[in-house]
Amino acid sequence: MTDSSRYRPQEIEERWQQHWQSQGLALTPEPGPSGADGEAAEPYYALSMFPYPSGSLHMGHVRNYVITDVIARVQRLRGRAVLHPMGWDAFGLPAENAAIERGVDPGAWTDQNIAQMRQQLQRLGLSIDWDREVATCHADYYRWTQWLFLQFLDAGLAYRSEATVNWDPIDQTVLANEQVDGEGRSWRSGALVEKRKLRQWFLKITAYADQLLDDLPKLEGWPERVRTMQANWIGRSRGAELQFEVVDADGAATGQQIQVFTTRPDTLYGVSYVVLAPEHPLVASLTSAEQQLPVTAFIDLVGRQSDQDRTAEDSPKRGVPIGARVRNPANGELVPLWIADYVLADYGTGAVMGVPAHDQRDFVFARQYELPVQQVIIPEGADEHAYEGGAWTAAGVLIHSGPYNGLSSSEAQQRIIAAAEAGGWGQGRVQYRLRDWLISRQRYWGCPIPVIHCDTCGVVPVPAEQLPVELPQGLELAGKGGSPLARLESWVAVACPCCGKPARRETDTMDTFMCSSWYYLRYSDPHNSALPFSRAAVDRWLPVDQYVGGIEHAILHLLYSRFFTKVLRDRGLLGFDEPFSQLLTQGMVQGITYKNPHSGKYIAPADVADPSDPRDPITGEVLDTFYEKMSKSKYNGVDPAVVIDRYGADTARMFILFKAPPEKDLEWDDADVEGQYRFLQRLWRLVEAAADRGLLLSPRSGGFLLAPGSVPASASDQELRRAVHTAIAAISEDLDGDYQFNTAVSELMKLSNAMASQLEAASEPVALEALAVLLVLLAPFAPHLADELWQRLGANPDGDTSVHRQRWPQVDATALRRDTVTLVIQVKGKVRGQLEVPADADAATLEKLARDSDVAAKWLEGQPPRRVIVVPGKLVNLVP
RNA sequence: GGGGGCAUGGCGGAAGUGGUAGACGCAGCGCACUUAAAAUGCGCAGACGGCGACGUUGUGGGGGUUCAAGUCCCCCUGCCCCCA
């Protein structure tokens, strides 16, 4: 073989990328009748979660965009009109921090990063329609984020309110609940979040809690896990709101009421105290003179704790009585009123009834402060003395509950709620864990909230025709002390759009998740300068057919986007209920990681001399070896650019698709990358050798398949054809709905193996069919190599019949047919032998063949089988 | 504590509705080519026993249903994720 015909990806990939661009292969066609054949092109929308433009592409990005690219390319080959766009989630703190640290302009810094990442992405050979690119930090995009905010405001779904909020002391801003993790830390800075009472903007996502929850079962194309996570997050619980009268020292009603929320109204007779959150508004007025001091001290103490610390089940429960009593509305009993750390002001009514016998937290609390424990529920069928100890929190049968004795928990709940509603002391209520979405941020690099504060008119929206409210440029950013925009007096001071008097701009910017909650809608109509998108465009392309991204967005981004979609639907701006039909949550890309177990230090793989016996290069200690998400601090990252330089994008793509199923974590392994490179080289040699022998494809597009039903004369031709059509069937199935790229690649390998041994003996039409099918099936995975070989086979002499313009091949069922099949003979369920039998033999024939076989003779020892099970085409089981 | 998911060779992973476990690849071993190596090609390869044809055993552990279980049911163990 001449040297010039070796597979050198470095020499072909960039050329094809440029060629595809000049041919407009990735541009979004208008759906509808298209092409000479007049076939209707159905729209297909393939979308990856857009990246934050950090400036450098990592392997997680590569995996994400390659998966979506394969899907987009397959759909094009299947004749769909494909929308496959890309954009940038470009507002956010890294740009602002870079500005503070290095004195650069955040906008310029971001644009430079975008340019750099776009170039890195293009090296992967992605079929992205760059004409539809968006960046959330550009005014022609955020103008519409502001416009949409005003829609929320107009709908009564955006409001400003004073609330106890999460404050990130490092990033100097507030955060939404969704952005605080289980340990009470900021999702971005990792700082322990503090509680502050501030006046902030919220979106009323709770108004859509029911819909967001009830529509989850419709999302059949979503992983069960994500749906469960969202359901847990919304956390709907049904219960009751009950009123306890406050009484004075003599037991006379004072006229004040305490409202408690409970999911267990059936335990009402077991109440031995009532607890208020320390922040509850009635605490001050109800505290008795002698309890004043301890109550004040306690409130001060609790103020320094996080919600997580306060409500964790294993943390100690603390509280103080405030010196007042309330009356149980069911039995008239007087019980003390306490405040305690485990009750939160903004959850439910900020007050709970203490039922130590049937709630674990109440139980711990009651034990600690020697409050009475009254059992009112017993397990069904148990006697009332059978249980003693921890709280019995399950449902059961009521005791010590007056008229409700003997009822089941669920029946008692209904009756007690009914009694409360009739008696005017409570009602049934649904409670959510979901809080309203806090969207204001005291930072510069975000989308300005388009309202103006006027002393006369109050909060005035900026008129739509004055949008965008542009971010002022050239600001001095300090990173401390409130919103930077607030210090820019020339920007803040404006005339009220309503009355014309001097007024002040809102200086908070929006949470970046606002910007990312609607970008997938903008791609349908990215250049619209009159609206964020036209109803026609958005309804044509959406919902997104396939969305691909990381599981880390299971709650935040996906919940917010669903919320946006439902609100915009109710505003008549779009006509569907859910934004994403199918969701694929791809696993992480992990790198091999070495860690010194004693010092805890990470060691770079390059410093480990012998990977089979990894040791610390300095101390010689044996290192721990494991796979973990790639990151700089662990020295376990692999730079995509280095891999592409060395092996080409096609190898990187193939490796990443083959190594693991898409939703599982993927362990990066250089040896496997080499293996993948070898496979592509084998393909190259296989096709080149065929071309050298004069096997050439005519440029006619789509005409490479043999007529359906063709049966070649020779057995070897039939065998090759069977391999070809088996591959078509298997790969088509792997790419249908739930994606199994790993097995699809392995089917390509099998086809290539079959062709390597059978192609030379094959007749020309069968060989050409095999070659063409191989390259079309390969095209979505290794697009450069497939197009190069397609051309080398003569199928693209003028450059306009690219392999990517072909049609996905159809399976010819006759090619899969066999004359004989291997029949497995089992004796008592164990495989004892096999027999070649005619493929069309009926059950009786198969049974006879099996009974008469040597295997039967050997294992049945002359005894006739008691029973025979025949699975036609598969096996015969002889049971002695 | 509640919920969701997972467990298959040395490794990554395959196995429509129960029907030949280990496809495909990596690592490994043998052979060919080579002065040699690399590359390439051909072959072997779950474990145990046997020179062999074969046999036994085997999908985290234990039980069950079935002619037949990686797959279905029950119990247990371990790991991951979400919510407390």
Side-chain angles (χ1 to χ4, degrees):
Chain A
M1 187 181 301
T2 57
D3 198 49
S4 64
S5 70
R6 277 187 53 199
Y7 173 47
R8 269 194 270 269
Q10 298 79 1
E11 289 169 12
I12 65 171
E13 292 190 344
E14 203 183 329
R15 177 157 50 79
W16 282 109
Q17 286 159 16
Q18 283 167 4
H19 182 71
W20 297 332
Q21 200 181 0
S22 71
Q23 291 269 309
L25 269 169
L27 294 180
T28 311
E30 281 306 306
S34 76
D37 50 5
E39 240 177 303
E42 291 278 315
Y44 188 95
Y45 189 173
L47 183 65
S48 296
M49 291 182 185
F50 67 167
Y52 178 80
S54 62
S56 57
L57 196 72
H58 56 68
M59 280 300 175
H61 292 129
V62 174
R63 192 176 193 191
N64 193 165
Y65 309 136
V66 166
I67 287 171
T68 311
D69 189 53
V70 173
I71 293 167
R73 287 180 179 276
V74 168
Q75 293 301 334
R76 281 194 204 96
L77 290 168
R78 286 181 172 165
R80 303 286 289 268
V82 171
L83 169 58
H84 180 210
M86 179 59 69
W88 311 97
D89 189 12
F91 272 134
L93 278 167
E96 192 162 346
N97 290 337
I100 293 162
E101 285 160 25
R102 284 173 258 170
V104 295
D105 175 65
W109 184 84
T110 303
D111 284 342
Q112 194 190 323
N113 283 349
I114 288 175
Q116 206 171 310
M117 279 182 84
R118 190 193 296 117
Q119 201 199 340
Q120 292 172 323
L121 279 179
Q122 281 165 344
R123 289 195 69 198
L124 288 167
L126 304 175
S127 61
I128 287 167
D129 181 356
W130 289 103
D131 286 359
R132 295 190 179 229
E133 182 180 0
V134 302
T136 59
C137 67
H138 291 165
D140 61 358
Y141 181 90
Y142 72 67
R143 168 185 182 181
W144 300 113
T145 308
Q146 294 173 339
W147 189 91
L148 290 169
F149 173 85
L150 296 180
Q151 292 284 313
F152 278 82
L153 193 63
D154 187 55
L157 294 168
Y159 64 93
R160 200 160 166 257
S161 158
E162 179 137 302
T164 306
V165 297
N166 306 302
W167 174 261
D168 181 333
I170 289 189
D171 283 346
Q172 297 271 315
T173 185
V174 299
L175 295 170
N177 278 18
E178 287 80 1
Q179 293 157 12
V180 180
D181 70 14
E183 290 170 27
R185 292 178 182 277
S186 160
W187 70 293
R188 194 181 268 284
S189 73
L192 268 178
V193 166
E194 296 168 7
K195 288 285 161 189
R196 292 208 180 172
K197 209 161 174 107
L198 293 167
R199 205 165 171 75
Q200 299 287 334
W201 282 98
F202 292 86
L203 291 193
K204 210 182 264 180
I205 191 170
T206 53
Y208 282 76
D210 277 325
Q211 283 187 47
L212 289 168
L213 186 65
D214 293 341
D215 283 352
L216 283 173
K218 292 186 198 164
L219 296 173
E220 285 168 14
W222 283 37
E224 182 65 40
R225 194 154 88 100
V226 175
R227 291 191 281 169
T228 307
M229 280 162 71
Q230 291 214 353
N232 285 343
W233 186 261
I234 295 166
R236 179 163 67 192
S237 53
R238 297 176 193 280
E241 207 167 77
L242 303 175
Q243 278 144 34
F244 284 67
E245 278 183 334
V246 180
V247 297
D248 62 21
D250 304 322
T254 64
Q256 285 159 307
Q257 307 266 344
I258 301 293
Q259 292 231 340
V260 305
F261 174 78
T262 177
T263 58
R264 293 296 301 277
D266 53 316
T267 63
L268 184 54
Y269 281 75
V271 173
S272 42
Y273 59 98
V274 167
V275 200
L276 302 180
E279 302 88 347
H280 195 283
L282 286 177
V283 169
S285 61
L286 294 179
T287 301
S288 66
E290 57 269 29
Q291 285 302 99
Q292 209 61 251
L293 219 59
V295 164
T296 313
F298 184 73
I299 290 171
D300 187 51
L301 177 80
V302 170
R304 281 181 263 127
Q305 273 185 291
S306 75
D307 283 3
Q308 265 72 23
D309 289 343
R310 284 173 57 173
T311 55
E313 218 159 85
D314 51 358
S315 74
K317 311 286 175 269
R318 290 176 300 185
V320 288
I322 66 170
R325 289 186 300 169
V326 295
R327 186 188 306 279
N328 185 328
N331 58 13
E333 228 173 79
L334 298 184
V335 295
L337 198 53
W338 285 62
I339 56 173
D341 54 2
Y342 72 98
V343 179
L344 303 178
D346 61 351
Y347 188 77
T349 57
V352 303
M353 56 189 216
V355 187
H358 304 294
D359 180 279
Q360 191 56 33
R361 293 183 196 177
D362 294 345
F363 183 81
V364 172
F365 190 78
R367 276 287 149 91
Q368 170 138 1
Y369 295 105
E370 295 176 354
L371 292 158
V373 179
Q374 174 61 58
Q375 188 187 356
V376 292
I377 309 282
I378 51 171
E380 202 167 344
D383 82 68
E384 98 180 68
H385 302 291
Y387 130 96
E388 187 61 56
W392 167 261
T393 58
V397 177
L398 274 74
I399 55 168
H400 303 312
S401 296
Y404 305 103
N405 284 338
L407 295 180
S408 71
S409 285
S410 63
E411 203 176 342
Q413 287 181 6
Q414 288 172 24
R415 298 251 201 122
I416 288 172
I417 290 171
E421 285 170 354
W425 46 270
Q427 61 279 317
R429 217 190 110 171
V430 177
Q431 175 69 29
Y432 302 91
R433 213 188 75 87
L434 182 71
R435 312 279 81 194
D436 276 343
W437 177 12
L438 196 172
I439 59 152
S440 35
R441 298 290 180 273
Q442 290 72 51
R443 298 300 303 226
Y444 165 73
W445 190 236
C447 175
I449 295 175
V451 300
I452 289 163
H453 299 282
C454 170
D455 287 342
T456 312
C457 312
V459 171
V460 180
V462 174
E465 62 275 12
Q466 288 178 27
L467 297 179
V469 176
E470 288 205 45
L471 263 182
Q473 306 220 323
L475 232 66
E476 185 103 350
L477 298 171
K480 285 209 160 55
S483 170
L485 291 175
R487 295 195 305 272
L488 193 65
E489 190 55 31
S490 62
W491 185 82
V492 172
V494 286
C496 170
C498 208
C499 66
K501 287 189 211 153
R504 304 183 66 76
R505 283 193 191 282
E506 171 65 57
T507 59
D508 282 353
T509 53
M510 293 182 212
D511 182 1
T512 57
F513 280 96
M514 286 285 284
C515 309
S516 59
S517 290
W518 72 281
Y519 76 104
Y520 49 91
L521 303 170
R522 180 69 176 174
Y523 285 138
S524 71
D525 197 6
H527 307 297
N528 194 329
S529 57
L531 282 170
F533 44 82
S534 76
R535 173 81 192 245
V538 81
D539 283 356
R540 180 183 316 133
W541 288 108
L542 281 104
V544 172
D545 291 280
Q546 182 66 56
Y547 199 26
V548 183
I551 187 78
E552 67 273 17
H553 292 108
I555 294 172
L556 289 154
H557 163 64
L558 291 169
L559 190 66
Y560 295 150
S561 295
R562 297 181 60 221
F563 169 51
F564 257 61
T565 298
K566 289 175 191 305
V567 171
L568 301 185
R569 174 203 59 197
D570 291 347
R571 299 288 292 178
L573 292 167
L574 48 79
F576 43 92
D577 295 327
E578 290 286 343
F580 314 119
S581 302
Q582 302 267 338
L583 174 68
L584 173 63
T585 51
Q586 106 253 5
M588 289 185 298
V589 181
Q590 302 178 316
I592 192 156
T593 312
Y594 297 102
K595 190 179 183 179
N596 186 316
H598 308 295
S599 64
K601 282 198 176 117
Y602 289 95
I603 310 294
D607 295 336
V608 175
D610 177 9
S612 62
D613 179 30
R615 289 175 178 277
D616 191 307
I618 298 162
T619 65
E621 290 164 292
V622 176
L623 301 173
D624 284 346
T625 308
F626 48 94
Y627 283 90
E628 219 170 358
K629 184 176 181 177
M630 291 184 176
S631 83
K632 276 200 183 110
S633 60
K634 292 169 188 153
Y635 311 110
N636 62 353
V638 177
D639 183 353
V642 172
V643 177
I644 293 171
D645 286 344
R646 185 152 177 185
Y647 301 104
D650 284 337
T651 293
R653 293 170 61 114
M654 293 284 284
F655 163 77
I656 244 172
L657 293 164
F658 177 65
K659 177 73 179 172
E663 63 284 349
K664 279 191 73 166
D665 288 347
L666 182 156
E667 297 174 356
W668 189 272
D669 181 344
D670 290 332
D672 282 327
V673 179
E674 288 275 359
Q676 204 54 239
Y677 188 50
R678 283 201 294 267
F679 171 57
L680 295 187
Q681 287 171 316
R682 276 201 297 278
L683 283 178
W684 178 278
R685 286 194 298 268
L686 175 74
V687 176
E688 279 289 275
D692 286 349
R693 290 203 309 279
L695 285 169
L696 293 175
L697 289 166
S698 92
R700 285 175 300 114
S701 61
F704 50 79
L705 288 179
L706 296 182
S710 311
V711 181
S714 78
S716 62
D717 270 1
Q718 285 174 27
E719 202 182 329
L720 177 56
R721 238 191 138 227
R722 185 180 305 123
V724 169
H725 284 267
T726 301
I728 298 173
I731 296 173
S732 300
E733 198 185 313
D734 285 341
L735 298 176
D736 206 28
D738 64 337
Y739 294 98
Q740 294 171 282
F741 306 109
N742 54 330
T743 50
V745 172
S746 81
E747 291 296 333
L748 284 171
M749 290 171 169
K750 283 188 207 171
L751 176 57
S752 139
N753 289 344
M755 285 171 66
S757 59
Q758 294 166 34
L759 201 61
E760 272 192 68
S763 67
E764 181 165 317
V766 172
L768 288 178
E769 181 186 51
L771 285 164
V773 167
L774 176 71
L775 294 184
V776 176
L777 295 180
L778 178 70
F781 302 90
H784 312 88
L785 176 63
D787 228 3
E788 175 73 20
L789 293 175
W790 186 253
Q791 189 180 53
R792 282 169 177 259
L793 279 177
N796 189 13
D798 306 316
D800 56 0
T801 48
S802 161
V803 71
H804 302 294
R805 288 207 196 277
Q806 305 306 309
R807 277 311 178 80
W808 192 255
Q810 295 289 314
V811 178
D812 182 354
T814 55
L816 301 178
R817 259 201 329 243
R818 294 169 172 279
D819 294 336
T820 63
V821 292
T822 306
L823 183 75
V824 168
I825 298 170
Q826 294 184 337
V827 177
K828 215 179 153 204
K830 283 186 190 289
V831 178
R832 292 303 181 190
Q834 37 195 307
L835 219 55
E836 278 301 304
V837 300
D840 54 0
D842 61 17
T845 312
L846 293 176
E847 179 170 341
K848 181 161 185 348
L849 286 168
R851 279 172 182 273
D852 296 345
S853 65
D854 297 346
V855 177
K858 176 178 173 189
W859 287 91
L860 293 175
E861 291 164 344
Q863 301 293 314
R866 270 193 305 119
R867 211 177 146 186
V868 180
I869 287 101
V870 180
V871 184
K874 283 241 161 79
L875 58 80
V876 175
N877 188 6
L878 306 168
V879 187

